[in-house]
Amino acid sequence: VSPSESNARQGQGLRLGFKDNWQFCFVTQEVTKPQLMDKRDTQFLLALRHAYHLQATGGALNELGEAHVGLVEFQEGHKALTGQDIDVRTKSIEPLCKMAFRQGLARLVDTEDGDVQPHAILILPGIAEILSEQAIGRFGAALKASMPAANDAAVEPSGDAE
């Protein structure tokens, strides 16, 4: 992309970024119109970003900066993060991974022969750029606000039974 093309993109509210160490480029919107995202998709993307963060801080990224996460490990992390189960059978997880792949965030990969799970999730390094800490905070706050609090279900005694 030439500098003039890059400047033209910036005029459209797009920012082109490069990460030489991981050998990829990415485009993010600088000016966004509020769009609703499906709750399931939002939770999935948050769980992907969280799993990537855990792999990165644990030094478990591969030489390309990708995180290889098993489906059971992802399922457990998703449950811990959102409080909700996610079905990791191929027919259920594949559409979510395809959505993440279209965004350049992750893809479903085959596992080694003999592995209990037929697939794993390969989280791409661009997820740290696309879903920044600021974006995570916004998504997380909206998600937390939409979830019923555990204490809402508890009924406190009124103390009037004398």
Side-chain angles (χ1 to χ4, degrees), residues 61-98:
L61 301 180
N62 68 18
E63 64 278 355
L64 297 175
E66 301 163 331
H68 189 272
V69 180
L71 293 179
V72 173
E73 179 184 357
F74 182 77
Q75 184 179 38
E76 291 168 356
H78 185 280
K79 173 82 172 181
L81 185 67
T82 66
Q84 298 190 3
D85 290 318
I86 185 169
D87 185 0
V88 294
R89 290 177 293 179
T90 302
K91 68 178 181 176
S92 299
I93 200 79
E94 190 173 43
L96 291 168
C97 287
K98 283 183 178 181

Side-chain angles (χ1 to χ4, degrees), residues 28-122:
T28 55
Q29 284 186 285
E30 295 292 324
V31 180
T32 60
K33 295 179 184 175
Q35 289 182 318
L36 294 177
M37 183 183 284
D38 181 81
K39 182 178 177 181
R40 184 180 74 143
D41 292 351
T42 303
Q43 289 177 335
F44 180 73
L45 294 177
L46 286 172
L48 280 177
R49 178 62 170 90
H50 182 68
Y52 186 84
H53 173 76
L54 293 176
Q55 293 284 316
T57 56
L61 301 180
N62 68 18
E63 64 278 355
L64 297 175
E66 301 163 331
H68 189 272
V69 180
L71 293 179
V72 173
E73 179 184 357
F74 182 77
Q75 184 179 38
E76 291 168 356
H78 185 280
K79 173 82 172 181
L81 185 67
T82 66
Q84 298 190 3
D85 290 318
I86 185 169
D87 185 0
V88 294
R89 290 177 293 179
T90 302
K91 68 178 181 176
S92 299
I93 200 79
E94 190 173 43
L96 291 168
C97 287
K98 283 183 178 181
M99 177 268 303
F101 182 71
R102 284 191 303 273
Q103 306 298 325
L105 304 176
R107 62 187 173 101
L108 200 61
V109 295
D110 293 333
T111 56
E112 304 274 332
D113 287 338
D115 198 321
V116 177
Q117 291 290 326
H119 303 290
I121 300 173
L122 188 68

Side-chain angles (χ1 to χ4, degrees), residues 117-131:
Q117 291 290 326
H119 303 290
I121 300 173
L122 188 68
I123 307 172
L124 306 174
I127 197 165
E129 300 299 326
I130 304 297
L131 293 177

